[in-house]
């Protein structure tokens, strides 16, 4: 009797063998891996169908059928081939990845780099993009530090002081870079959060103190060039800006490649929250912030713990991190829609001014953001 038959008929399986079988650890893949396998199977099936159609057309051609008999199949197969060729060509380009996988604030800014045909305007947008990218990363990094704070003994008083000083005069590109450096330095102390590890690893080479190519690139390409541009030391004519913009685009793409890990994180806004008494779960309606299109895909999450409405979150590896108050969602009366904002500066009344990633305009922070930020600054000393 073979082993399979023996397992089906326990009477013929020796006790010691049954014990060994029962002790075998069967690995169970997590939900993300299961979903990946299912998606890969769907893609494999779709590609196999197109392959069968292409082979069928080739077979008919070699049988000597005339074009008039193959016209419909020919058009269909040609369209599929061109579509697949284009997809395969695009899949490794950073522009394609940003447009479809990066969080909306970054992807939307990247998409709008070339909305103007004039090269001086394009170069100007590139300069702003570097600053906005750094402000977004600082907001994410600060949120991770705040989220991990209770389980770790690190001090954030120096970072809080940096933020106070920068807000008092308005956050500059140099301030954003310095804050990002401080944030990544502190996140290296968090060894029980994969998000923190991935984030800080982008800033350093290995476990030493040497800065990564990304950290050096952001300082040289984003900060120094922007300062040169503000002080009229950069290109000025359209021809000069054309050359400079093409060179600078390469640097922007290199920087975005360096933080590709962020495309695997789920960014979303909590739009609405309801409690289901029957399931004892919170049903959260969310807008996924993935890719460069401003019409966000909608999902419903079933959660044990509630989220805050109109807050932006990161979800990865079973962890939920609110980005408020460092990155916030507020209504912009100027554009008449909700937008995503970073911190900008203090106003004369003791409140805060926020700057939009969507439109670049500024609004005053509402009372919730103001109080939450003040409480955080006070708690950190």
């Amino acid at each position: 009797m073979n082993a399979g038959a023996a397992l089906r008929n326990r009477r013929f399986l020796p006790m010691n063998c049954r014990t060994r079988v029962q002790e075998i650890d069967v690995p169970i893949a997590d939900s993300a891996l299961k979903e990946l396998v299912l998606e890969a199977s769907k893609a494999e099936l779709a590609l196999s169908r197109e392959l069968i159609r292409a082979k069928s057309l080739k077979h008919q051609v070699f049988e000597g059928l005339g074009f008039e008999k193959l016209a419909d199949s020919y058009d269909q197969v040609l369209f599929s081939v061109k579509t697949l060729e284009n997809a395969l060509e695009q899949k490794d380009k950073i522009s394609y990845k940003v447009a479809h996988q990066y969080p909306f604030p970054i992807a939307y800014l990247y998409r709008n780099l070339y909305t103007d045909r004039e090269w001086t305007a394009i170069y100007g947008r590139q300069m702003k993009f570097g600053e906005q990218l750094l402000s977004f990363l600082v907001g994410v990094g600060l949120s991770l530090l705040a989220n991990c704070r209770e389980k770790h003994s690190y001090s954030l008083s120096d970072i809080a002081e940096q933020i106070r000083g920068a807000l008092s005069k308005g956050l500059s590109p140099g301030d954003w870079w310095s804050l990002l450096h401080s944030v990544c330095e502190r996140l290296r102390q968090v060894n029980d959060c994969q998000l923190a590890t991935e984030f800080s690893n982008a800033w350093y080479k290995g476990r030493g103190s040497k800065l990564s190519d990304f950290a050096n690139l952001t300082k040289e390409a984003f900060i120094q060039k922007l300062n040169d541009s503000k002080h009229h030391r950069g290109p000025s004519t359209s021809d000069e800006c054309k050359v400079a913009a093409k060179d600078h685009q390469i640097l922007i793409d290199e920087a975005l490649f360096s933080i590709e890990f962020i495309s695997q994180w789920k960014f979303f806004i909590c739009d609405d929250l309801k409690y289901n008494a029957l399931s004892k779960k919170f049903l959260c309606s969310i807008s996924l912030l993935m890719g460069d299109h401003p019409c966000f895909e909608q999902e419903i999450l079933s959660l044990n713990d509630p989220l805050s409405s109109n807050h932006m979150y990161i979800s990865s590896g079973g962890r939920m991190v609110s980005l408020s108050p460092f990155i916030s969602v507020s209504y912009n009366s100027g554009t008449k829609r909700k937008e995503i904002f970073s911190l900008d500066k203090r106003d004369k009344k003791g409140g805060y001014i926020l700057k939009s990633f969507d439109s670049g305009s500024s609004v005053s922070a509402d009372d919730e953001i103001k109080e939450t930020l003040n409480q955080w600054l006070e708690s950190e000393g």
Side-chain angles (χ1 to χ4, degrees):
M1 180 179 294
N2 61 32
L7 284 172
R8 288 192 297 270
N9 191 341
R10 296 169 67 99
R11 290 177 302 170
F12 297 96
L13 190 65
M15 181 59 69
N16 62 335
C17 291
R18 283 160 53 186
T19 303
R20 290 174 190 170
V21 170
Q22 291 169 354
E23 291 176 350
I24 293 175
D25 289 329
V26 180
I28 300 175
D30 61 27
S31 58
L33 191 57
K34 291 178 183 177
E35 187 176 337
L36 176 62
V37 172
L38 286 174
E39 290 298 322
S41 298
K42 289 179 184 177
E44 185 179 13
L45 179 61
L47 289 170
S48 65
R49 286 171 178 167
E50 296 302 328
L51 180 61
I52 291 171
R53 289 170 63 184
K55 285 183 175 180
S56 175
L57 181 64
K58 286 171 64 178
H59 182 70
Q60 293 175 56
V61 169
F62 290 128
E63 283 186 343
L65 295 180
F67 180 79
E68 64 279 357
K69 295 183 180 180
L70 302 175
D72 291 341
S73 297
Y74 176 85
D75 290 340
Q76 291 175 2
V77 173
L78 181 63
F79 178 77
S80 297
V81 169
K82 292 295 183 184
T83 302
L84 289 171
E85 283 181 351
N86 183 59
L88 292 171
E89 182 182 340
Q90 294 289 329
K91 73 179 181 65
D92 293 324
K93 289 185 177 180
I94 188 61
S95 57
Y96 184 84
K97 291 184 179 181
V98 172
H100 294 86
Q101 297 178 328
Y102 276 56
F104 174 77
I106 296 175
Y108 190 67
L109 290 168
Y110 187 88
R111 169 185 174 177
N112 289 332
L113 286 175
Y114 290 89
T115 52
D116 199 305
R117 293 175 60 187
E118 173 53 48
W119 285 103
T120 53
I122 292 171
Y123 187 71
R125 286 179 183 273
Q126 289 178 332
M127 294 295 100
K128 292 178 182 178
F129 178 85
E131 180 178 6
Q132 291 164 321
L133 175 62
L134 291 176
S135 69
F136 181 78
L137 293 176
V138 168
V140 171
L142 286 169
S143 301
L144 291 174
L145 281 176
N147 182 266
C148 300
R149 186 72 176 86
E150 291 183 4
K151 295 182 179 180
H152 297 271
S153 60
Y154 51 69
S155 171
L156 299 178
S157 59
D158 57 329
I159 294 178
E161 190 57 37
Q162 272 185 274
I163 294 174
R164 283 195 197 91
L167 285 170
S168 65
K169 60 182 178 59
L171 282 148
S172 68
D175 291 327
W176 287 123
W177 192 93
S178 297
L179 277 169
L180 186 54
H181 179 72
S182 299
V183 165
C184 289
E185 190 176 42
R186 210 56 46 85
L187 281 173
R188 297 186 93 189
Q189 300 179 27
V190 180
N191 54 15
D192 59 353
C193 174
Q194 184 63 27
L195 294 171
T197 301
E198 291 177 352
F199 195 92
S200 59
N201 282 349
W203 199 253
Y204 292 97
K205 287 185 176 180
R207 297 305 301 168
S209 59
K210 192 172 183 180
L211 295 182
S212 67
D213 293 339
F214 170 71
N216 289 320
L217 186 151
T218 54
K219 188 171 188 178
E220 295 166 9
F222 294 165
I223 308 306
Q224 294 175 5
K225 281 193 175 183
L226 181 55
N227 285 334
D228 287 344
S229 180
K230 285 183 175 180
H231 293 91
H232 309 289
R233 293 192 293 264
S236 56
T237 68
S238 182
D239 288 339
E240 290 174 346
C241 287
K242 180 179 179 179
V243 174
K246 289 183 176 181
D247 291 339
H248 197 68
Q249 188 62 50
I250 296 172
L251 300 178
I252 289 176
D253 290 349
E254 285 181 9
L256 292 173
F257 261 125
S258 299
I259 56 169
E260 192 175 0
F261 66 88
I262 212 169
S263 68
Q264 304 304 312
W265 298 0
K266 188 174 186 176
F267 289 80
F268 65 89
I269 295 172
C270 175
D271 297 317
D272 189 34
L273 189 71
K274 294 179 181 178
Y275 181 71
N276 187 311
L278 186 62
S279 65
K280 296 183 179 180
K281 297 278 189 178
F282 292 93
L283 300 180
C284 181
S285 301
I286 68 168
S287 294
L288 283 177
L289 304 178
M290 183 172 65
D292 63 9
H293 201 285
C295 293
F296 305 134
E297 183 181 343
Q298 305 297 302
E299 277 190 10
I300 302 292
L301 298 181
S302 180
L303 305 170
N304 292 321
D305 300 310
L307 301 180
S308 299
S309 294
N310 290 323
H311 279 212
M312 186 171 165
Y313 286 86
I314 305 170
S315 173
S316 182
R319 196 177 195 118
M320 295 273 189
V321 178
S322 172
L323 300 187
S324 180
F326 309 110
I327 295 178
S328 55
V329 181
S330 296
Y331 180 75
N332 188 336
S333 59
T335 60
K336 293 183 170 46
R337 58 192 177 97
K338 285 184 180 179
E339 296 182 351
I340 301 169
F341 293 86
S342 66
L343 299 174
D344 188 18
K345 60 184 177 182
R346 266 194 178 277
D347 62 24
K348 295 179 180 178
K349 299 178 181 179
Y352 299 98
I353 302 296
L354 310 176
K355 183 170 286 188
S356 169
F357 289 103
D358 303 53
S359 63
S361 56
S362 298
V363 301
S364 295
D366 60 31
D367 290 340
E368 180 189 353
I369 296 171
K370 175 183 173 182
E371 290 172 8
T372 307
L373 182 57
N374 282 338
Q375 287 174 3
W376 183 83
L377 290 170
E378 290 171 8
S379 68
E380 296 301 340

